[in-house]
Amino acid sequence: MLDAAVSDTCRKCMTQATLSLVKPELVLSLFGTCDQHLKLVREALDVSITHRDGEVQVIGDDAAVACATEVLEQLKSLVERRGSVDESDVARIIANIVGQDDREDHPTIDVIQVTRSIKPRSAGQARYIEAIRKHDVVFSLGPAGTGKTYLAVAMAVEALKNREIRKIVLVRPAVEAGESLGFLPGDLQAKINPYLRPLLDALHEMVDYDQIQRFMEQDVIEVVPLAYMRGRTLNSAFIILDEAQNSTVAQMKMFLTRMGEGSRIVVAGDTTQVDLPPHARSGLVDALARLRDIRGIAQVQLSKADIVRHRLVQDIVNAYEETPRGSSKKSRR
């Protein structure tokens, strides 16, 4: 991270932040040719930014310095993952930070309290957490590694811990991503377990194994295939549908109408990774269009900038979005 030491410099609410760069070789990529990126930040936020001997000083009023340092933090993180940033990245990050500042007077970072504190690691993730706190139904879209499922599970565990809900229901469509699981040994539960494993992996990072087992035995936590949701009404529950792009239109309608009093729903998916049979319409794509104007429902779009897995994940996503030479780019919705 950038190490920030902030001190008041005068009586006119002026603040100075000193930022130390961990890797000097990133300076050119971070600041841009002839400090073009710094110039954008200076002009947008009306701050003074200077760089000398690996340290960056930001001077301005309290709110502007807070925004500028957050912009530099996010740019630095992006440079470390991708190796470079361009002016469009700088403009987008500034817009995100200033937008947050305008809406809520630069609030402190929203922290999810489970067995440990979980903080959003990008502006998009912060908006996602905010949307879950403020809406009963949230649709989260984005590529792999953006924290769609992980943050939703964290919010569910926090709500259970705070007694805001009585149970957590984690749901996934049993749709195969190119492989056939029908030949796996075992009973039905053993066959569907691979579909549900990602949800359990997220849960195990926040709740110890024995506690999860007790919760599952007591029906406080359920991890079930989407087809098993038919005919149920869930009150005081936090319900998460993962890989929602692989639900059909009928399944999505069935799932959303399971919601009872005091319940919340998070629907997570990536509309570029549909594994349904040809010509079948994704229930996620359909729901986004049908429900976009309904009060109480939020849609959050996460992007490549929100990827927080291994640094190579973002490069892999970029590579697959490019059209290989000699082939045509196809997408199925």
Side-chain angles (χ1 to χ4, degrees), residues 5-300:
V6 183
S7 60
D8 291 334
T9 58
C10 70
R11 296 180 181 178
K12 297 180 180 180
C13 295
M14 298 293 285
T15 297
Q16 173 179 303
T18 301
L19 312 173
S20 298
L21 294 173
V22 175
K23 298 179 180 179
E25 64 269 21
L26 296 179
V27 170
L28 179 60
S29 297
L30 180 62
F31 296 161
T33 305
C34 300
D35 289 349
Q36 290 176 333
H37 300 162
L38 288 188
K39 183 179 179 182
L40 288 174
V41 180
R42 290 190 192 105
E43 293 178 351
L45 299 174
D46 192 23
V47 292
S48 170
I49 305 178
T50 57
H51 171 241
R52 177 178 295 179
D53 299 329
E55 288 191 342
V56 180
Q57 287 191 338
V58 183
I59 300 175
D61 65 46
D62 291 349
V65 169
C67 286
T69 53
E70 177 63 19
V71 168
L72 292 172
E73 290 274 11
Q74 292 194 24
L75 285 173
K76 189 259 184 179
S77 177
L78 199 55
V79 167
E80 286 190 327
R81 295 200 306 267
R82 289 195 336 206
S84 65
V85 294
D86 56 30
E87 292 187 12
S88 66
D89 294 317
V90 180
R92 173 180 52 77
I93 291 174
I94 291 173
N96 286 339
I97 299 300
V98 172
Q100 292 176 38
D101 186 66
D102 289 343
R103 285 196 305 273
E104 296 196 19
D105 194 24
H106 202 69
T108 56
I109 294 176
D110 193 350
V111 178
I112 306 171
Q113 297 291 352
V114 287
T115 53
R116 58 189 175 85
S117 297
I118 296 176
K119 296 181 181 180
R121 295 171 62 183
S122 70
Q125 289 191 350
R127 290 196 303 274
Y128 182 29
I129 293 172
E130 180 184 27
I132 295 175
R133 293 205 188 280
K134 293 184 176 181
H135 298 83
D136 290 334
V137 178
V138 175
F139 287 86
S140 171
L141 315 171
T146 51
K148 303 184 300 294
T149 304
Y150 186 83
L151 292 175
V153 172
M155 291 291 287
V157 172
E158 182 191 62
L160 183 65
K161 175 184 173 184
N162 294 339
R163 303 186 181 221
E164 298 169 15
I165 56 168
R166 292 202 302 263
K167 71 183 303 176
I168 297 172
V169 183
L170 308 176
V171 186
R172 245 186 165 219
V175 175
E176 298 161 359
E179 304 88 1
S180 177
L181 300 180
F183 296 101
L184 289 176
D187 57 14
L188 177 62
Q189 188 61 41
K191 290 179 184 294
I192 64 176
N193 186 65
Y195 294 115
L196 307 175
R197 190 76 247 169
L199 293 167
L200 287 170
D201 287 344
L203 195 58
H204 281 142
E205 288 199 28
M206 302 164 206
V207 183
D208 67 64
Y209 180 82
D210 290 339
Q211 183 69 67
I212 291 175
Q213 291 302 112
R214 287 194 295 272
F215 279 155
M216 294 182 80
E217 290 171 2
Q218 297 164 4
D219 210 29
V220 174
I221 293 178
E222 286 188 72
V223 186
V224 296
L226 178 57
Y228 286 29
M229 294 290 288
R230 188 172 301 279
R232 305 182 64 184
T233 299
L234 297 169
N235 297 314
S236 299
F238 198 120
I239 315 161
I240 299 170
L241 175 59
D242 191 32
E243 298 292 340
Q245 74 276 3
N246 289 329
S247 65
T248 65
V249 174
Q251 286 175 329
M252 179 62 75
K253 178 184 177 183
M254 179 271 292
F255 171 78
L256 293 173
T257 53
R258 301 309 92 198
M259 186 180 189
E261 290 295 326
S263 288
R264 286 185 266 171
I265 285 179
V266 175
V267 177
D270 179 357
T271 55
T272 68
Q273 299 292 326
V274 178
D275 298 314
L276 292 170
H279 311 301
R281 181 167 174 78
S282 167
L284 176 59
V285 174
D286 179 79
L288 293 172
R290 286 178 187 270
L291 309 178
R292 61 188 174 192
D293 297 324
I294 295 181
R295 185 177 179 182
I297 297 179
Q299 297 183 10
V300 178

